[in-house]
Amino acid sequence: MTAILSMNQITKDFSGGVRALDGVSLEVERGHVHAICGENGAGKSTLMKVLSGVYPVGSYGGSINFENHETAYKSINDSEADGIVIIHQELALSPYLSIAENIFLGNEIATRGVVDWPKTNREATMLLARVGLDELPSTPVLELGVGKQQLVEIAKALSKQVKLLILDEPTAALNDEDSAHLLDLINSLRGQGITCIIISHKLKEIRRIADTVTIIRDGQTIETFEMKEADATEARIIRAMVGRDLDSMFPPHTPDIGDELFRVENWTVHHPVDTTRKVVDDASFSVRAGEIVGFAGLMGAGRTELAMSIFGRSYGSHISGTAFKEGKEISVKSVSEAIGHGIAYATEDRKHFGLNLIGSIAVNISAAALSKLSRFGIVDRFAENKVAEDYRGQMNIKTPNVSVLAGNLSGGNQQKVVLSKWMFSGPDILILDEPTRGIDVGAKYEIYGIINDLARQGKAVVVISSELPELLGLCDRIYAISEGTITGEIDRADATQERLMHLMTAGKD
Amino acid sequence: MSTTTPTRKPPKMRVDLRQYGILAALAVIVILFQVLTDGRLLLPGNLNNLIQQNAYVLILAVGMVIVIIAGHIDLSVGSVVAMVGAVAAISMSQWGMPWWAAVIISLLLGAAVGAWQGFWVAFVGIPAFIVTLAGMLLFRGLTLVFLTGGTINALPGEFNAIGGGWLPELFGTIGEGRGSRDILTIVLGVLAVAMLITQQVRSRAKQRSLELPVERSVSFWIKNGVAAVVILALTFQLSAYRGTPIILIILAVLILLFTFVLNQTVFGRHVYAIGGNLFAAQMSGVKTSWINFFVFVNMGVLAGLAGVVTTARAGGAVASAGQSFELDAIAAVFIGGAAVTGGVGTVIGAVIGALIMGVLNMGLSILSVDAAWQQTIKGLVLLLAVAFDVMSKRRAGRR
């Protein structure tokens, strides 16, 4: 057995002194399927970007050896020329072009700039047969489901004479049937001598497909082992993924929990486009006054979709289930209705859903509760500025004044603006989706403090996070969610990272 | 920026000079043409014409800036002006309506047109560019149908006065014959200055009492002083012609009203929120479809008003009226600092943009520059104005 790829002592620093990779080593055997596991933010994607030349040579430390020569890729084109192709989680196909056009995009079969369509279509047909996709090459990509689009991506990779195929969470957006088909295809590609690196959270998948697994945590390689070894269990992978101490970075919190404030029963949500797919499946949960409840789930588990669908049907189709506030059923069919019932949802995607980046801090803080600052449709701008100034002080938003545009703030300060906006709406129930994503440690501590204060005021707080230490340090009770299903509920006292990770990776059988 | 500690001493607001860049450009252009035309640009008669000739652009620009802030565009306003003008003229000359009923019909027709376009944009989700391009053809076509190719003249004098008349000389004049001045115009100018200063001082006092940052006194008084002098000088000059154009009063009301609507009302806030980040607006509970709908209804009403004004000034309706008005209005809005992507723009900016175009028109005409060259020059001014804005924003972003 020979290694096709070896990455030695890779280090990668980002500006601001963040070390994303800290001496990662990885050895991949030729013709193997090699799985890489790790929590969100462990450094898996960064490692793959280093490998494929997205981060050019010189911007990282260590050496990479591929096919017995040391690589020096300056861009993704260089790595593709060598036969390394990466397929990202977000597919990169042009929806209005046909399958054949997409396969050969940027790599057209042409003589002197004129495309040879017969040859293009013939080659495309052959590639589609190889990936088991029964569609005409002339079909526009937008008519295909996500699973079939994934296959087009793989056909595209094959057209580039791929030797090493990297799949970043390939089944995260697929239904069970498409996932099974994809795993079969990876199996058959292995038979054709193509080496595969697969990044995945789903331990069942890894068991089924991988020859070798490497676990990465906090930018370091923890261990690599063969899946055929006797002790290569899911438990071992989980232990390696989470095995770290809880940092003492949480402000003290004494829970003072009252009656049930909010409850959701049998909540089911279908994908907005692929309406056959259940993104959230029969979820039920409750939150009491003064309680901080966590939702632990890996990316794509359906946590954000659950929250957004409750918040005025902002996501999904065919939503069913009931919501109760203080025991009474409430209707949350629109965002304004949800806000009216005292629900607030602070999104994980601040730039896209949370803030008007070209609006001032004051305008953003008042956005969800302008009615409190207006009479007969006329906004009292003085009162608005006063409110914004109050939150600036109270939340310690670091800015000279509240007329600064939200887009000019740092991530932590932007998050404080989002929290201010929802606090000002005077909610009873706050759903905070990844409240500390992309925020430095100091600001995180402040935000934990704010969350504790909200609970102390008797509000029901839901925190969605993929960082287990954060949930363990913050929450009174934690639900685990996996593939759209709530797989368990653990009290603070009994919660450990291992138990949660078990529930978070528990697939449907 | 993040190093500044949030102290609460007397907070001072920095004056953003870029904000006044466009005003400075207007001043430069006025001074330039004043010199080039040997002082003829600001003669009372020309000043009067500047206002009456450009009233339609100002009215349309006020509506258009709201449409553009919300992230849309309206290409149909020129055709709507023509159609409304035709219907107004028909209602008076053929149906025997009084002038005021014709005005009401015009505004209602404009609202209906806006509702039609707003429906397709807001509730069906067709891009405004397409809906209003269709409207441009549709309403021009209907104008031709209504007028059957002819023109309608001989409208009531009261109606024509809306576009080309003056307020009565209530307080008489200073002097007699040529060189006499209308007292009412001067009084109105003084009143405007008094209102401006009072409003500014009160707002400043309130800001200070709430411990909010206030502008430095020096710049506050310079700014208001300059504004007062300009208003007084212009009204004094205007008083030597035939008094206060009626349309000037309408324009002043519109500008104040819509500045207020955009800055101080929930509706205005929601317009900026939609243009700034549609998804964030939705997630904050803004009823985005209804806001978009009313943005177009409002544009329709203002296009209806522009139709009245244009027909009144021309003294009749012709099928070719309002041609390329939409482009004048759009140009004014972008010269006035609005962003193509939405979310940014002000009424006062659009007004200044319209005045820049108007002064260019008038100055070049006085200099008897060929119409072909006039258009060329205006095109370049539009491009340079927006390029200046884009580059200064990029510089500000880098800082």
Side-chain angles (χ1 to χ4, degrees):
Chain A
M1 292 239 264
T2 53
I4 186 171
L5 171 76
S6 64
M7 303 178 78
N8 303 311
Q9 293 298 317
I10 305 293
T11 55
K12 169 78 190 164
D13 294 314
F14 288 110
S15 57
V18 182
R19 173 154 281 203
L21 297 176
D22 188 10
V24 174
S25 295
L26 177 69
E27 192 131 313
V28 179
E29 298 289 331
R30 187 181 301 276
H32 265 194
V33 173
H34 194 118
I36 298 180
C37 289
E39 283 186 295
N40 300 333
K44 300 162 297 187
S45 295
T46 310
L47 185 68
M48 292 303 113
K49 283 178 181 165
V50 166
L51 172 58
S52 59
V54 172
Y55 300 132
V57 64
S59 71
Y60 57 87
S63 67
I64 305 175
N65 209 296
F66 181 66
E67 292 263 63
N68 304 319
H69 68 271
E70 182 154 347
T71 68
Y73 302 136
K74 290 192 194 70
S75 73
I76 201 152
N77 290 337
D78 294 349
S79 64
E80 288 195 350
D82 257 4
I84 299 176
V85 179
I86 182 161
I87 296 177
H88 292 281
Q89 212 174 337
E90 299 88 23
L91 301 179
L93 297 172
S94 179
Y96 298 103
L97 297 183
S98 72
I99 294 178
E101 284 168 310
N102 266 293
I103 290 178
F104 294 105
L105 190 62
N107 191 21
E108 288 81 2
I109 305 176
T111 39
R112 275 180 246 102
V114 180
V115 175
D116 184 345
W117 285 114
K119 197 168 174 212
T120 300
N121 283 323
R122 197 169 59 241
E123 300 248 328
T125 312
M126 279 154 57
L127 289 165
L128 291 182
R130 265 180 87 186
V131 298
L133 180 57
D134 187 20
E135 293 281 348
L136 288 174
S138 56
T139 310
V141 157
L142 81 163
E143 291 177 13
L144 306 178
V146 195
K148 288 182 174 177
Q149 290 192 17
Q150 186 84 260
L151 297 179
V152 173
E153 283 273 19
I154 293 175
K156 186 175 176 179
L158 293 177
S159 80
K160 293 173 183 163
Q161 310 300 325
V162 62
K163 291 176 190 147
L164 176 63
L165 182 64
I166 303 163
L167 297 149
D168 190 356
E169 306 240 15
T171 61
L174 303 191
N175 61 29
D176 296 346
E177 195 187 331
D178 286 343
S179 300
H181 182 84
L182 186 76
L183 295 180
D184 288 342
L185 175 62
I186 294 172
N187 237 333
S188 82
L189 290 178
R190 167 164 50 190
Q192 295 165 33
I194 293 171
T195 312
C196 243
I197 293 178
I198 175 167
I199 296 176
S200 179
H201 289 313
K202 298 186 183 169
L203 301 186
K204 287 207 161 48
E205 249 167 56
I206 293 169
R207 278 209 74 79
R208 182 166 154 201
I209 192 92
D211 301 297
T212 318
V213 61
T214 293
I215 292 107
I216 295 178
R217 187 209 314 152
D218 297 338
Q220 290 174 319
T221 314
I222 302 304
E223 61 175 333
T224 296
F225 52 85
E226 300 290 314
M227 289 305 288
K228 60 177 186 280
E229 285 173 22
D231 60 347
T233 59
E234 287 180 20
R236 180 171 170 193
I237 298 176
I238 288 170
R239 213 179 312 121
M241 273 166 79
V242 299
R244 105 187 99 178
D245 291 329
L246 255 183
D247 306 311
S248 61
M249 52 169 300
F250 295 93
H253 161 57
T254 358
D256 176 17
I257 297 173
D259 295 332
E260 178 188 285
L261 193 53
F262 186 61
R263 178 157 48 97
V264 168
E265 281 182 1
N266 309 107
W267 200 262
T268 298
V269 180
H270 293 254
H271 192 271
V273 182
D274 179 6
T275 51
T276 58
R277 208 174 114 217
K278 284 184 185 171
V279 183
V280 177
D281 191 359
D282 200 30
S284 300
F285 68 91
S286 65
V287 199
R288 285 171 287 173
E291 188 181 32
I292 305 176
V293 166
F295 269 86
L298 293 161
M299 246 181 258
R303 338 160 281 189
T304 296
E305 291 78 359
L306 172 64
M308 282 180 74
S309 61
I310 292 171
F311 190 62
R313 305 203 164 170
S314 303
Y315 172 91
S317 61
H318 305 313
I319 298 168
S320 60
T322 34
F324 300 86
K325 186 184 172 190
E326 289 163 342
K328 284 193 282 291
E329 184 172 342
I330 55 169
S331 161
V332 284
K333 290 201 174 84
S334 72
V335 173
S336 40
E337 227 178 350
I339 294 174
H341 284 302
I343 304 174
Y345 169 69
T347 166
E348 68 172 331
D349 190 344
R350 290 188 289 271
K351 290 190 161 58
H352 195 60
F353 288 118
L355 291 172
N356 176 359
L357 295 174
I358 57 174
S360 70
I361 295 171
V363 160
N364 273 290
I365 289 178
S366 66
L370 262 187
S371 56
K372 284 188 169 186
L373 291 168
S374 58
R375 281 175 69 193
F376 310 114
I378 297 164
V379 180
D380 183 345
R381 306 190 78 187
F382 299 110
E384 178 184 44
N385 268 304
K386 185 86 184 132
V387 164
E389 280 291 340
D390 285 348
Y391 276 107
R392 178 171 78 98
Q394 183 189 335
M395 305 283 277
N396 193 18
I397 301 170
K398 295 189 183 71
T399 163
N401 62 62
V402 293
S403 55
V404 170
L405 301 188
N408 292 341
L409 297 176
S410 69
N413 284 309
Q414 285 184 351
Q415 184 64 28
K416 289 179 192 169
V417 173
V418 172
L419 289 177
S420 303
K421 160 169 132 177
W422 289 114
M423 285 162 69
F424 180 58
S425 79
D428 303 314
I429 303 135
L430 281 109
I431 306 174
L432 310 176
D433 197 349
E434 297 281 7
T436 63
R437 170 173 293 174
I439 288 177
D440 65 75
V441 180
K444 272 187 184 178
Y445 189 89
E446 288 180 83
I447 284 173
Y448 296 143
I450 293 164
I451 294 174
N452 286 343
D453 282 344
L454 290 168
R456 204 170 305 132
Q457 293 161 25
K459 302 191 187 305
V461 185
V462 174
V463 177
I464 298 173
S465 177
S466 39
E467 288 184 38
L468 293 182
E470 177 168 297
L471 291 175
L472 292 171
L474 201 58
C475 298
D476 303 312
R477 195 156 53 88
I478 302 170
Y479 289 97
I481 181 163
S482 170
E483 297 178 39
T485 312
I486 293 185
T487 48
E489 176 192 346
I490 308 180
D491 272 335
R492 182 194 192 105
D494 310 325
T496 63
Q497 299 200 43
E498 282 79 6
R499 281 192 65 182
L500 281 172
M501 190 55 89
H502 265 294
L503 294 169
M504 285 158 68
T505 49
K508 286 182 228 164
D509 291 304
Chain B
M1 58 140 44
S2 58
T3 49
T4 321
T5 44
T7 47
R8 280 230 166 190
K9 284 208 198 114
K12 295 275 192 232
M13 209 156 62
R14 279 188 315 115
V15 181
D16 186 2
L17 280 178
R18 198 166 58 83
Q19 198 184 323
Y20 298 105
I22 196 72
L23 199 52
L26 175 62
V28 167
I29 288 173
V30 168
I31 292 167
L32 179 74
F33 278 106
Q34 184 72 353
V35 172
L36 286 178
T37 60
D38 299 326
R40 276 179 289 163
L41 179 77
L42 293 180
L43 286 179
N46 285 335
L47 192 58
N48 179 77
N49 285 348
L50 183 69
I51 294 164
Q52 291 188 337
Q53 273 172 14
N54 289 294
Y56 77 90
V57 199
L58 288 160
I59 294 170
L60 292 175
V62 166
M64 191 66 78
V65 74
I66 301 175
V67 170
I68 286 174
I69 291 169
H72 306 294
I73 195 91
D74 191 338
L75 300 175
S76 71
V77 291
S79 298
V80 178
V81 162
M83 183 175 77
V84 168
V87 171
I90 289 169
S91 71
M92 287 179 288
S93 69
Q94 292 176 14
W95 307 339
M97 296 270 183
W99 67 273
W100 53 267
V103 171
I104 292 172
I105 288 174
S106 301
L107 298 184
L108 288 178
L109 180 62
V113 166
W116 160 262
Q117 302 198 119
F119 165 76
W120 292 105
V121 173
F123 298 112
V124 185
I126 299 176
F129 189 94
I130 307 295
V131 171
T132 60
L133 183 63
M136 181 178 174
L137 301 170
L138 180 64
F139 302 123
R140 180 68 63 188
L142 288 177
T143 310
L144 288 164
V145 171
F146 294 153
L147 291 176
T148 56
T151 59
I152 298 174
N153 294 317
L155 301 178
E158 293 97 329
F159 185 81
N160 290 347
I162 298 172
W166 296 269
L167 291 181
E169 293 175 339
L170 278 182
F171 304 132
T173 56
I174 305 172
E176 293 288 325
R178 281 180 67 84
S180 69
R181 293 186 183 275
D182 169 40
I183 296 175
L184 176 65
T185 307
I186 297 172
V187 169
L188 286 174
V190 173
L191 264 178
V193 168
M195 275 162 61
L196 172 78
I197 305 277
T198 320
Q199 190 270 335
Q200 291 277 311
V201 168
R202 282 172 67 181
S203 149
R204 190 173 154 85
K206 181 142 188 202
Q207 269 174 313
R208 194 175 278 138
S209 75
L210 289 169
E211 295 177 353
L212 293 169
V214 288
E215 205 175 323
R216 282 173 209 284
S217 322
V218 184
S219 74
F220 175 82
W221 285 111
I222 289 179
K223 202 173 79 178
N224 287 300
V226 169
V229 168
V230 168
I231 293 173
L232 289 174
L234 289 179
T235 46
F236 187 68
Q237 193 72 345
L238 207 51
S239 69
Y241 192 60
R242 303 185 49 184
T244 308
I246 291 172
I247 192 66
L248 181 61
I249 303 297
I250 297 178
L251 287 173
V253 169
L254 280 183
I255 293 167
L256 290 176
L257 175 70
F258 281 97
T259 301
F260 178 80
V261 165
L262 276 184
N263 289 337
Q264 314 272 102
T265 67
V266 174
F267 174 77
R269 279 319 179 61
H270 285 177
V271 170
Y272 279 106
I274 287 175
N277 184 343
L278 178 66
F279 298 111
Q282 279 168 348
M283 295 297 282
S284 300
V286 175
K287 296 190 169 95
T288 53
S289 298
W290 282 105
I291 301 290
N292 282 330
F293 178 76
F294 284 114
V295 164
F296 275 93
V297 171
N298 179 63
M299 179 77 251
V301 173
L302 287 172
L305 179 60
V308 169
V309 169
T310 306
T311 314
R313 180 162 163 82
V318 287
S320 63
Q323 219 121 45
S324 85
F325 277 16
E326 60 281 340
L327 301 182
D328 292 338
I330 293 168
V333 169
F334 285 131
I335 290 175
V340 185
T341 44
V344 178
T346 56
V347 167
I348 200 70
V351 166
I352 295 170
L355 288 176
I356 287 179
M357 294 299 257
V359 170
L360 270 176
N361 271 337
M362 171 135 290
L364 292 168
S365 299
I366 297 174
L367 292 173
S368 7
V369 173
D370 182 55
W373 280 110
Q374 285 196 23
Q375 208 154 43
T376 313
I377 291 168
K378 281 197 285 179
L380 284 174
V381 167
L382 169 63
L383 187 64
L384 289 178
V386 177
F388 169 78
D389 194 44
V390 167
M391 284 188 293
S392 59
K393 268 181 200 146
R394 198 174 296 158
R395 221 182 356 256
R398 222 179 284 141
R399 200 171 43 203

